[in-house]
Amino acid sequence: MRVRAAGLGLLFGLLTGAVTGCDDPEGEGGTSRVRGSGDAAAEGTEGDVDGGQSSKAEPPDVNGPGSAEPDPSEPNPTEPGQPKPTTGPEPTGGVDGGGSGSPSSPSAGPDGSTPTPSGSTPPTPQPMAPMPIEGAYAGPPLTGDELTAELAQLAELCGQNCEARATPQCELDLQTVEQCSDACVRDAERHLGFCLTQLQAELSCKLAGGYGCERDWVQPVDACAAEAQQHQECRLYADCSAYCVAAVQQGCAPETTAEECAARCAAERDALPETCGADHDSLMNCTASAGAWDCVEARLVAVDGGCERFVNGTAECRMSETSNYCASYCLAAELGGCGEGCWEECSRELTSDDCAGQYMDALDCLLGTSGDGVCMDGQFAPAGGTISCDSDWDAYLACLTRNRLEPAPPAPEPPPVAAPLEDAALTQKLGEIDALCAQSCQQRQATGCTANEDAELCQRSCNSIATSFGGFCLDEYQTREACYLAGGFECTGSTARPVDTCIPQAEAIDTCIEALDCELYCHAAVAAGCDESGSLAGCVAACQAEGAALPETCQRDYQSLVGCVGRSTAASCVQGRWIDAELRCDSYRERFMACQLRETGNYCKTYCDSSAWAGCAEGCAERCARELTDPSCGGQYFEALDCAAFFTSGACVDGVLEPDTVNCEDEWNAHLACLAETRLP
């Protein structure tokens, strides 16, 4: 049965233990991938300041007649609703400067304990609040009768501008005067009382200069650059200013004045990637104009204002631009009003040994185009109706239940491990098997089957199988071959096959061979003092348990890697693990790691397991957890791991597994460059 979001709060609390309280959230989940900031740009673009066509149909008009043909796809920095110039570092926090929300609720499990992910607890990188931008406040705004009078004047000016725009009858001027005027008035209303003097000055200047056609596009004769620049500078943080006026009036801001609040809101906006500023503006504007609010964690949240799509749009845009999962997810939670504890939880879950892959898929969905989420009872979770997220979100919940609530099944008793035959005993046993192989191959040859091997080649093949066992499983192999010989051979098709299939004997050798790779590996490791158990049986049990814990499709790849290292004549003990020092088994390591990532989606565990088999596992789990969830460079590190997981070859350099420099050099260098920029003085 699918877990509904009505139980998400309780289930998350039982499983993760991050936040106190026992509320029941609502909603349900979906699947998607990340995207850019289309919603906010569409919402914010009502039309030109002079009431012209939407920017989707008309190019910017800042150049005026005589300039090169404008490109309709380019945003106009002087037009409202277009992305505004931004500067500053990567986004780190919200207007109220905190972290961001997480899908969790009560802190204790059913027995009063606090379930936690398996594996080591990573350090929690905390985002640094960006420096406030002094002077960002665009107010005070016009209000009451003064605002009504100003909007009436602007409505008249909009109509005059639109009539003037229609006069040249440009071929690509597709709006009617009424449509143009309505768009201009809506844009003026969206100013929320801010910057109307500057808007009026720009419209008046363009009206005075008139309009003409430039390559069939309507353009003002006078671009009014000075007026447009003043309007743009005022509008840059006007939406933050409007939000802060409402927040301070409602007592829902850490600051006591709108000026101080706007300085921090502007810093939050400028910390986003440049393409995401319009999403943030739309969220602030929508919240400010909602009229009914909740105050959550010192964040003003619109009640039934339809502003959730801008919360999601801002986070989705950030994810699209940075690939930083925790920073983007926690930004959404922070903007939605449920940011407390997000960084701690996201850092823990994204790097856990058990459910990190499912958690990343769930975040991928929430930060995608069809995966809108909302804050419900202190957590940011899938919004109701986004059915496409159900499979990802429920898979994560199921993983938490399976790994942290359900009791682990008792480990099966490991089968007894016999020491391999060595020296004289091994020589004697191989001699007996050689004689048996000779008789068996002679009988096969005597059948006269057309596809029979040459007797000598058959005997060499029979003996090579025995020698590959490294002293293990020889009794079982000898017993099966003796059974085949006793039953004789006959032609099946064109090949000699044993008459008696000897099922019990064949099952015995198969069972022995299942443990053979671990036995070969452990025999070498224990002999070299490179196994903490100190015994062959203990090492084999641990090796088999490690393989059994893997996805079933990857267990054969694991056994092949273990067996290759066990047979290697160039293996050595590095950091407590018996590894192939000359990388002769790298192809098996690559195949195994690729399968593990494909099946689990767990980047840190896959990378660190690969590091262990390469000889540089020390400190990997802590380092990967720290870098993957880093607020500044986590996205670049994820891109490097993503490439390294696909091209799994690499080498240990100064104790760190660096990925294949041929295929992943750009991604790795981008991460190193980010570290140099953000961590070095």
Side-chain angles (χ1 to χ4, degrees):
M1 180 179 70
R2 189 179 66 193
V3 179
R4 304 292 293 181
L8 285 179
L10 177 61
L11 180 58
F12 273 124
L14 293 175
L15 299 172
T16 60
V19 184
T20 59
C22 296
D23 298 316
D24 287 329
E26 301 176 2
E28 50 187 307
T31 58
S32 80
R33 311 303 292 179
V34 298
R35 63 118 182 142
S37 54
D39 287 348
E43 177 72 15
T45 305
E46 294 288 0
D48 296 324
V49 292
D50 50 3
Q53 296 167 324
S54 164
S55 64
K56 292 184 177 181
E58 182 179 21
D61 58 4
V62 295
N63 298 316
S67 63
E69 180 180 5
D71 182 356
S73 66
E74 290 292 326
N76 180 2
T78 69
E79 301 291 12
Q82 295 288 358
K84 302 170 185 174
T86 58
T87 58
E90 276 287 299
T92 53
V95 167
D96 40 342
S100 298
S102 56
S104 57
S105 192
S107 58
D111 59 353
S113 63
T114 302
T116 56
S118 59
S120 60
T121 302
T124 303
Q126 292 292 337
M128 296 180 61
M131 293 295 293
I133 299 177
E134 301 301 330
Y137 184 58
L142 298 178
T143 58
D145 293 341
E146 191 176 8
L147 174 59
T148 301
E150 183 69 19
L151 289 175
Q153 293 179 22
L154 281 168
E156 182 178 355
L157 189 56
C158 282
Q160 294 171 358
N161 262 271
C162 290
E163 290 175 358
R165 288 173 61 97
T167 301
Q169 296 184 348
C170 302
E171 184 176 346
L172 296 179
D173 185 12
L174 304 179
Q175 283 185 320
T176 66
V177 172
E178 291 75 15
Q179 289 172 333
C180 169
S181 181
D182 288 346
C184 180
V185 170
R186 285 197 305 272
D187 182 69
E189 292 171 346
R190 190 177 179 273
H191 280 54
L192 300 179
F194 290 89
C195 308
L196 295 180
T197 300
Q198 292 83 351
L199 173 60
Q200 188 176 57
E202 183 179 354
L203 288 174
S204 298
C205 176
K206 291 181 177 179
L207 177 61
Y211 291 85
C213 296
E214 176 67 24
R215 297 189 181 182
D216 297 325
W217 293 98
V218 63
Q219 295 283 355
V221 175
D222 184 351
C224 302
E227 291 81 1
Q229 180 66 22
Q230 291 173 5
H231 181 219
Q232 176 201 4
E233 291 175 354
C234 182
R235 283 291 293 144
L236 182 59
Y237 303 124
D239 292 318
C240 272
S241 300
Y243 167 87
C244 286
V245 167
V248 171
Q249 288 177 349
Q250 298 297 316
C252 192
E255 299 83 7
T256 57
T257 67
E259 289 84 350
E260 294 173 326
C261 173
R264 189 155 39 80
C265 178
E268 174 186 85
R269 181 195 187 281
D270 279 7
L272 291 168
E274 184 173 350
T275 56
C276 305
D279 294 277
H280 187 272
D281 293 338
S282 295
L283 173 60
M284 297 298 103
N285 189 282
C286 180
T287 304
S289 58
W293 304 277
D294 283 334
C295 185
V296 185
E297 298 179 8
R299 166 73 67 172
L300 195 66
V301 179
V303 175
D304 298 327
C307 301
E308 294 87 356
R309 68 186 186 278
F310 300 123
V311 171
N312 289 281
T314 306
E316 290 162 17
C317 178
R318 186 177 188 199
M319 182 63 188
S320 178
E321 294 294 327
T322 68
S323 299
N324 194 318
Y325 280 87
C326 283
S328 303
Y329 172 72
C330 292
L331 174 66
E334 174 72 17
L335 293 174
C338 53
E340 186 175 354
C342 176
W343 280 97
E344 294 82 355
E345 172 145 352
C346 186
S347 298
R348 183 180 68 241
E349 294 300 313
L350 196 62
T351 57
S352 67
D353 279 351
D354 49 9
C355 299
Q358 291 85 347
Y359 185 68
M360 181 175 285
D361 286 343
L363 295 195
D364 218 14
C365 169
L366 277 176
L367 298 170
T369 54
S370 61
D372 289 348
V374 293
C375 284
M376 296 180 293
D377 296 328
Q379 67 181 35
F380 194 75
T386 53
I387 300 173
S388 59
C389 272
D390 280 352
S391 59
D392 294 301
W393 201 255
D394 291 350
Y396 172 55
L397 298 181
C399 180
L400 294 180
T401 301
R402 183 173 60 252
N403 287 282
R404 302 185 200 173
L405 285 184
E406 295 176 353
E413 285 293 327
V417 179
L421 298 177
E422 296 180 296
D423 302 329
L426 176 60
T427 301
Q428 178 181 346
K429 178 62 70 174
L430 290 176
E432 294 172 1
I433 292 175
D434 178 57
L436 187 61
C437 286
Q439 296 177 51
S440 177
C441 289
Q442 288 173 2
Q443 280 202 18
R444 288 173 184 267
Q445 193 70 21
T447 61
C449 303
T450 57
N452 280 345
E453 287 182 308
D454 174 77
E456 184 178 349
L457 181 61
C458 170
Q459 186 174 352
R460 283 203 304 268
S461 176
C462 181
N463 283 326
S464 67
I465 294 174
T467 55
S468 71
F469 292 158
F472 292 96
C473 303
L474 293 179
D475 285 338
E476 292 84 355
Y477 184 64
Q478 183 180 24
T479 301
R480 187 193 67 179
E481 292 302 308
C483 179
Y484 286 162
L485 179 61
F489 298 89
E490 63 181 2
C491 292
T492 302
S494 57
T495 306
R497 301 289 184 188
V499 174
D500 186 347
T501 55
C502 302
I503 291 177
Q505 294 82 354
E507 288 178 346
I509 183 63
D510 288 344
T511 300
C512 187
I513 289 175
E514 286 179 2
L516 179 61
D517 293 314
C518 281
E519 289 174 342
L520 289 170
Y521 175 86
C522 289
H523 177 59
V526 171
C530 194
D531 179 75
E532 61 182 18
S533 71
S535 70
L536 179 61
C539 176
V540 169
C543 177
Q544 290 179 323
E546 183 176 346
L550 295 168
E552 186 174 352
T553 54
C554 302
Q555 292 176 10
R556 182 63 256 172
D557 293 319
Y558 171 78
Q559 292 167 0
S560 297
L561 172 60
V562 167
C564 178
V565 177
R567 294 179 176 89
S568 174
T569 58
S572 60
C573 191
V574 180
Q575 296 183 1
R577 183 179 285 267
W578 191 245
I579 69 166
D580 169 38
E582 294 185 2
L583 306 180
R584 296 176 181 177
C585 300
D586 246 20
S587 61
Y588 294 107
R589 176 172 67 93
E590 293 172 16
R591 191 182 311 148
F592 167 49
M593 296 307 157
C595 179
Q596 182 170 315
L597 182 65
R598 182 178 65 249
E599 294 295 327
T600 68
N602 193 325
Y603 280 83
C604 278
K605 187 175 189 308
T606 300
Y607 173 69
C608 290
D609 283 352
S610 185
S611 297
W613 286 105
C616 49
E618 188 172 352
C620 180
E622 294 79 7
R623 182 171 57 253
C624 186
R626 181 179 65 249
E627 299 300 342
L628 186 61
T629 58
D630 182 78
S632 298
C633 303
Q636 291 86 340
Y637 190 69
F638 169 74
E639 297 290 351
L641 287 191
D642 196 37
C643 183
F646 187 78
F647 300 105
T648 50
S649 59
C652 292
V653 178
D654 296 330
V656 176
L657 179 62
E658 293 191 358
D660 179 359
T661 56
V662 174
N663 295 292
C664 302
E665 184 175 14
D666 290 345
E667 289 83 356
W668 193 253
N669 287 341
H671 174 240
L672 297 180
C674 181
L675 294 182
E677 181 179 345
T678 58
R679 298 188 189 173
L680 296 181

